[in-house]
Amino acid sequence: MSDTVLRPAATASRGGPRSPLMEQYRRIKVEHADALLFFRLGDFYEMFFEDATLGARLLGLTLTSRNKQDPEPIPMCGLPWHQRDVYVGRLLRMGRKVAICDQLEDPIAAKGLVQRGVTEVFTPGSVVGESFLEPATNNFLAVLWPAAAGLGLCLVEASTSEVRLAECAWADAAELLSGLTVAEWIAPEPARLPEDLCARCEALLEGCSGSRTFVPLEGYLDLAPLLSRWNEGASALGDVPLAQAAAAGALAYLDRVQGAAALASPLVSRLVDERTLRYDAATARHLEIFQPQPGGEPAHTLWHHLNLAVTGPGARRLRSWVERPLADETALGKRQQAVQEWITAAVERGSFRDTLRGFPDLERLASRLALGRATPRDLGALRDALQRLPAIAEPLVRRGGEVAASSALLQAGIPELEPTLRAALVDEPPPTVREGGMVRAGFDEHRDRLDQLAHSGKRWIAELEAEERERTGIASLKVGYNRVFGYYLEVTRAHLEKVPADYERRQTLTGAERFVTPGLKAKESEVLGAERKLEAREQELFVELRDRAARHVPQLQRIAGALAGLDAEATLAETAARYDWVRPALDGSDRLRIADARHPVVERLLPRGEFVPNQVELDGTRRQILLLTGPNMGGKSTYLRQVALCVLLAQAGSWVPATTAEIGLVDRLFTRVGASDRLGAGQSTFMVEMRETADILRAATPRSLVLLDEIGRGTATYDGLALAWAVTEHLHASSGPRPRTIFATHYHELTQLAETLPRLANVHVMVKEWGDGLVFLHRIAEGAADRSYGIHVAQLAGIPGPVIARAREVLRELESERTVEHLSARAGRPIVRRDDRQQALFDAAPHPIEETLREVDPERITPLEALELVVEWKRRWGA
Ligand SMILES: Nc1ncnc2c1ncn2[C@@H]1O[C@H](COP(=O)(O)OP(=O)(O)OP(=O)(O)O)[C@@H](O)[C@H]1O
Ligand SMILES: [Mg+2]
């Protein structure tokens, strides 16, 4: 992605022809060295120098040059002005910034060089225009403040004015950032930072996607704009000096690129606090919450199935609940209560969702209003939305309860504003101010008079055609208009001799001549004058109206917030009803009991009824650790993930895929997936896995939930086993973290731990052997698995017969060699007590012929079947 420093680029000081235009370009470019400069020339936006080379490459435009004859021609490429936003959008998605340099005066009226200046700067993290944003996702700008005491972070969603603050010690900084999806990172200029802070900052940002900008240090140090602009909400956050510095940096940057006082009405909150369930980026990846694994499809994610929200703000709100689930009983109780009400009120839910379709994004609209960027169409949408709100809210208010409380806000609307918008705006206002025609007739006397004047003049001109045809006898005479000559009378060459003396020639075409008359010119200046004044008056009225609406931004934000919350809650009710989910009972206990738990995604991908539900029974005091064994493909990973997803859903306020669920609230959720399930990640997968495991051992608490999927597998067998063994013991130890844990493993030796660790229980996934094959039952049962069936699974996968047969031989040898002493020596301590049950574990498996012989009933088998059996044995083992 683009790494840029806000300093004058070499481009601008380079030599070359010094035409006044290029001088002007250079002056402007120096101020926007970090952006591609779109420079308006006539009907085109042009890029020059390095911008042109880069822009042409990124956008697939033709690279030309401005002064081809010159020894040093200036590279140039351009795009039609009306396609600007399409190209800006593409560059933003590539992480680039774009500065728009427009003509500040009418080129026709201008004397000499047209005045130009930058009117807008687009950057990936600061855009507010709806066409550049995804409706259902936030677009974050993250501003970092590296200090000796730790890291300050200010996360800004410019399009909705949401601001989230955080600060932490350096040791926790990587974790803080790892879960964030950020479009643009901002950090102080490296040159001005102490070297160690600079290095820390760089290390943090390494591997983070999103574009980066380094900004002057001064912005961080000036707290005055922050203190003057921020409301009570922000000051209630307490003492967070590092985050505050980051916020000051954010304001300085946004003020600059947005060219206005940014974040005038911010919604400030803390990014993390003790009342949320935390999980890191690795866990989100393993569980495929928002993103599928590489090569997977969106339908593999939880979000794909959960997000049935009707509006963009509703989807964003729901997403934030899943990103930061709650760990607070009271707050969850309130959310559950609202979801419950929506479930009961199924009819109201349906009509609420129906009426909400196509509803404008009021959160983003409020931000554009606050920035002075709202368009006439925005105000029209606001008017229509305000008008619709009472009818949407009324049935909800009538039902009472939690839902009624937020609906009351909608019902109240903004009575001080709505009638004015209705009186002032035409039914369908245009998308931009330029076009005019925004103000409704009857709203402003002055405007109406100008409108009248312009219209009557135009009517006079339209009637002129008929009059002049009659006067001159030229039936083909036409009245026309163009931008250079204004109104004219056009006469074809054949009739030129009939032209009266008062006609003045203006323009000669191939087949015709164009004339004006003094009367026409007088009318024209009257019309054009009136039109210009009308436009100006409309703009004036519009700006007044917009400023007036902007005074109600905080009120509008509250309404928008309530509506987003209602949409998100109704969505949770909708998924619960649609997927047959159940309300979980949540408390502060250490229990985790889920009856008939299903995987919310896998269940949807399988044919109806094929997913096998399973029981989950954990508690911190008696059954803290479940050790899950069983064959490959048995369903271990699926089980682990469904437990994690049920907890996550429950604490987001959702219902869960089960028949009953009791969940003692979880403070942190850890999932680790062994090397075998990882795709190439650049660095040693075992190293990553161990680092992640170390994090768990360091950070887990008795309220955490830890799900380990085959850790220790990416190294030599005995090292892996020994590590897994020690990790399990540590998680169990009374002096250790003691989180609720499920550990899926192929190390059967670990199942012996049940003998020594009282809070550990063995469970396994069941399979049935069927002749040579296996039937996966996907059912979890008590006790350890008896064997691993890896070779069976390999056979199912199509490994050739002779290889399978040889593998069985090798397995038998290995298993007989694998002595207890050997294992103990590798683990560095005696790990196995010899008793009969243990010994059986290490005994060689019986040969398949022996097994089949045991099962065959000679009374029932036909001679032909017996013969077939012998032929098969001969084929596989007899050669
Ligand atoms: N409860 C279930 N009901 C129906 N199908 C299931 C169930 N659990 C798992 N499956 C199916 O079985 C397949 C394998 O499951 P999973 O990956 O969880 O096995 P595993 O035991 O982790 O295997 P391995 O040891 O190779 O990692 C899944 O892709 C899924 O389609
Ligand atoms: Mg697995």
Side-chain angles (χ1 to χ4, degrees):
M1 291 269 142
S2 64
D3 266 33
T4 40
V5 177
L6 277 183
R7 277 203 220 94
T11 317
S13 57
R14 205 166 87 170
R18 303 229 157 214
S19 71
L21 185 76
M22 280 297 113
E23 280 300 325
Q24 186 185 43
Y25 173 84
R26 275 174 230 276
R27 250 193 339 270
I28 295 169
K29 177 67 196 175
V30 172
E31 297 295 315
H32 296 276
D34 60 335
L36 286 155
L37 186 68
F38 279 20
F39 191 78
R40 181 75 183 258
L41 274 185
D43 284 342
F44 282 82
Y45 281 107
E46 303 286 359
M47 285 174 268
F48 298 111
F49 299 108
E50 279 94 340
D51 279 6
T53 337
L54 182 66
R57 181 164 59 76
L58 295 177
L59 298 170
L61 298 168
T62 313
L63 188 65
T64 59
S65 50
R66 184 160 168 82
N67 46 349
K68 293 193 182 64
Q69 283 72 40
D70 207 271
E72 216 182 329
I74 300 170
M76 169 174 109
C77 76
L79 45 103
W81 70 272
H82 53 88
Q83 288 192 12
R84 183 193 87 172
D85 286 359
V86 178
Y87 287 100
V88 170
R90 281 172 59 191
L91 288 169
L92 288 175
R93 281 192 293 281
M94 293 181 220
R96 303 287 171 167
K97 308 185 186 72
V98 186
I100 305 294
C101 173
D102 272 316
Q103 297 170 159
L104 300 181
E105 56 184 340
D106 188 344
I108 295 166
K111 294 184 182 62
L113 188 62
V114 180
Q115 257 193 52
R116 290 188 176 79
V118 168
T119 49
E120 265 173 291
V121 179
F122 295 99
T123 83
S126 69
V127 281
V128 293
E130 219 148 6
S131 59
F132 303 120
L133 296 163
E134 291 286 334
T137 30
N138 279 119
N139 189 61
F140 284 121
L141 175 80
V143 183
L144 300 181
W145 174 243
L151 179 76
L153 170 71
C154 174
L155 203 60
V156 181
E157 162 61 290
S159 75
T160 59
S161 303
E162 283 163 274
V163 177
R164 297 175 192 166
L165 300 180
E167 57 180 49
C168 65
W170 281 105
D172 302 320
E175 192 196 325
L176 179 69
L177 301 194
S178 79
L180 307 175
T181 314
V182 170
E184 187 178 356
W185 296 92
I186 306 287
E189 259 181 30
R192 304 278 305 277
L193 279 184
E195 221 165 274
D196 61 321
L197 288 182
C198 197
R200 279 186 154 154
C201 206
E202 208 166 287
L204 262 187
L205 285 176
E206 202 182 83
C208 289
S209 63
S211 79
R212 282 172 217 172
T213 309
F214 296 101
V215 296
L217 202 63
E218 288 73 23
Y220 288 88
L221 307 178
D222 181 9
L223 293 183
L226 186 77
L227 299 176
S228 72
R229 234 172 287 172
W230 285 24
N231 44 25
E232 329 76 66
S235 38
L237 286 176
D239 189 26
V240 280
L242 303 183
Q244 213 170 39
L251 270 192
Y253 179 69
L254 285 174
D255 278 357
R256 178 178 168 270
V257 296
Q258 293 186 334
L263 297 176
S265 180
L267 304 162
V268 188
S269 63
R270 283 219 187 197
L271 179 62
V272 270
D273 61 31
E274 320 70 52
R275 296 175 310 128
T276 52
L277 183 171
R278 290 199 279 158
Y279 62 90
D280 60 13
T283 296
R285 259 197 322 274
H286 296 156
L287 296 177
E288 302 189 280
I289 296 175
F290 297 110
Q291 293 288 325
Q293 300 274 13
E297 294 164 24
H300 296 169
T301 64
L302 177 68
W303 183 240
H304 178 85
H305 300 276
L306 194 65
N307 179 23
L308 304 179
V310 181
T311 65
R316 294 197 301 268
R317 178 64 57 92
L318 184 61
R319 194 181 166 109
S320 77
W321 290 352
V322 180
E323 279 170 343
R324 295 186 294 163
L326 295 168
D328 178 75
E329 246 182 286
T330 323
L332 270 169
K334 262 178 89 135
R335 199 176 290 169
Q336 279 197 336
Q337 174 60 29
V339 176
Q340 183 67 62
E341 286 169 20
W342 280 115
I343 288 181
T344 318
V347 176
E348 285 87 346
R349 183 176 83 234
S351 52
F352 172 75
R353 287 166 57 83
D354 280 346
T355 45
L356 227 51
R357 267 171 236 289
F359 209 78
D361 189 333
L362 294 182
E363 287 181 345
R364 286 184 167 161
L365 205 156
S367 280
R368 289 198 296 278
L369 256 184
L371 266 179
R373 290 268 179 84
T375 64
R377 189 165 282 176
D378 281 339
L379 288 195
L382 175 61
R383 169 198 61 196
D384 299 344
L386 289 175
Q387 221 163 343
R388 283 167 66 188
L389 282 176
I392 294 177
E394 198 271 331
L396 307 176
V397 172
R398 212 161 358 108
R399 287 189 65 96
E402 272 300 317
V403 169
S406 14
S407 305
L409 258 179
L410 311 191
Q411 197 176 33
I414 312 181
E416 307 86 342
L417 179 63
E418 194 213 322
T420 317
L421 289 177
R422 219 172 336 164
L425 287 170
V426 294
D427 285 346
E428 291 195 20
T432 66
V433 187
R434 269 198 309 270
E435 278 121 285
M438 307 164 266
V439 180
R440 188 183 288 282
F443 177 68
D444 177 67
E445 231 175 278
H446 185 184
R447 187 217 80 100
D448 290 352
R449 250 196 329 274
L450 293 168
D451 190 39
Q452 193 67 37
L453 213 59
H455 268 98
S456 66
K458 273 193 174 155
R459 213 173 312 119
W460 184 91
I461 292 171
E463 283 161 9
L464 185 70
E465 194 172 273
E467 281 167 21
E468 288 299 296
R469 277 182 188 174
E470 203 177 302
R471 176 158 86 98
T472 59
I474 308 172
S476 61
L477 181 143
K478 275 192 307 199
V479 171
Y481 177 83
N482 76 25
R483 266 172 29 118
V484 181
F485 297 103
Y487 287 100
Y488 55 77
L489 297 156
E490 188 174 300
V491 178
T492 52
R493 204 158 285 284
H495 300 288
L496 282 181
E497 74 281 1
K498 290 190 223 157
V499 165
D502 60 340
Y503 276 29
E504 298 166 18
R505 189 188 317 264
R506 276 294 155 91
Q507 196 186 8
T508 304
L509 309 175
T510 24
E513 300 262 335
R514 287 175 177 173
F515 303 89
V516 296
T517 65
L520 179 59
K521 279 293 123 181
K523 254 320 168 203
E524 177 189 294
S525 71
E526 192 182 302
V527 169
L528 294 184
E531 273 185 343
R532 244 192 315 272
K533 281 187 205 145
L534 175 66
E535 256 170 48
R537 180 64 187 154
E538 286 226 348
Q539 279 187 20
E540 211 173 272
L541 289 169
F542 175 75
V543 170
E544 259 171 42
L545 193 65
R546 190 173 61 190
D547 290 348
R548 180 158 179 185
R551 287 203 288 278
H552 298 281
V553 161
Q555 218 171 334
L556 183 59
Q557 282 174 330
R558 277 195 294 277
I559 290 176
L563 195 59
L566 287 169
D567 187 14
E569 288 158 3
T571 301
L572 288 181
E574 187 71 22
T575 46
R578 208 178 279 193
Y579 305 145
D580 195 18
W581 290 356
V582 70
R583 176 177 183 163
L586 306 171
D587 59 26
S589 73
D590 60 6
R591 256 175 322 179
L592 182 56
R593 201 176 291 161
I594 311 176
D596 300 317
R598 286 121 55 197
H599 189 298
V601 176
V602 177
E603 181 189 35
R604 306 242 63 78
L605 301 178
L606 289 177
R608 205 181 164 74
E610 280 201 10
F611 191 87
V612 181
N614 272 302
Q615 316 313 319
V616 183
E617 175 86 55
L618 272 171
D619 71 63
T621 30
R622 281 168 299 116
R623 227 171 117 91
Q624 179 213 332
I625 301 181
L626 293 186
L627 198 78
L628 174 59
T629 45
N632 297 98
M633 284 297 287
K636 299 185 297 299
S637 301
T638 308
Y639 181 72
L640 251 57
R641 285 172 197 169
Q642 81 196 30
V643 174
L645 289 172
C646 282
V647 168
L648 201 107
L649 281 171
Q651 295 193 214
S654 170
W655 277 207
V656 297
T659 50
T660 63
E662 293 166 47
I663 298 174
L665 292 176
V666 170
D667 65 348
R668 296 189 65 164
L669 173 63
F670 297 96
T671 63
R672 286 301 163 265
V673 174
S676 59
D677 277 28
R678 288 186 73 107
L679 290 143
Q683 49 179 322
S684 155
T685 46
F686 181 70
M687 186 65 188
V688 172
E689 183 194 321
M690 281 300 120
R691 194 173 290 155
E692 291 177 351
T693 309
D695 284 345
I696 298 179
L697 298 183
R698 188 171 56 86
T701 78
R703 309 239 350 237
S704 307
L705 177 63
V706 174
L707 302 164
L708 301 172
D709 200 350
E710 305 188 17
I711 64 151
R713 230 169 56 155
T715 190
T717 312
Y718 289 121
D719 287 2
L721 171 57
L723 279 166
W725 190 286
V727 165
T728 314
E729 282 183 345
H730 180 75
L731 290 172
H732 184 278
S734 38
S735 58
R738 293 181 60 171
R740 285 162 284 179
T741 304
I742 310 181
F743 189 171
T745 185
H746 283 287
Y747 292 129
H748 283 252
E749 294 84 347
L750 287 182
T751 57
Q752 305 155 45
L753 278 167
E755 315 245 319
T756 48
L757 306 182
R759 278 174 277 105
L760 180 142
N762 282 315
V763 290
H764 69 283
V765 286
M766 289 165 72
V767 279
K768 224 163 73 186
E769 282 184 70
W770 189 259
D772 235 2
L774 277 183
V775 180
F776 297 105
L777 300 178
H778 303 304
R779 183 155 293 136
I780 311 283
E782 292 296 307
D786 50 355
R787 44 188 294 216
S788 71
Y789 301 97
I791 296 182
H792 276 90
V793 176
Q795 189 176 7
L796 285 179
I799 301 281
V803 177
I804 294 289
R806 176 68 187 136
R808 288 213 162 96
E809 255 172 54
V810 174
L811 178 67
R812 267 198 307 281
E813 278 165 30
L814 284 176
E815 285 180 335
S816 59
E817 274 171 21
R818 191 159 55 169
T819 62
V820 169
E821 283 75 12
H822 187 61
L823 258 183
S824 303
R826 283 308 195 105
R829 50 198 271 296
I831 58 171
V832 175
R833 276 187 287 139
R834 283 171 210 247
D835 63 30
D836 292 343
R837 229 201 74 208
Q838 309 281 317
Q839 202 52 51
L841 197 69
F842 294 105
D843 277 345
H847 192 277
I849 295 185
E850 198 182 322
E851 277 180 340
T852 322
L853 277 176
R854 246 188 248 137
E855 278 164 24
V856 162
D857 182 352
E859 305 282 77
R860 297 196 176 191
I861 195 168
T862 67
L864 188 62
E865 281 167 343
L867 187 62
E868 270 170 4
L869 208 56
V870 175
V871 170
E872 169 69 358
W873 286 345
K874 181 83 184 152
R875 186 179 67 76
R876 298 177 61 182
W877 290 289

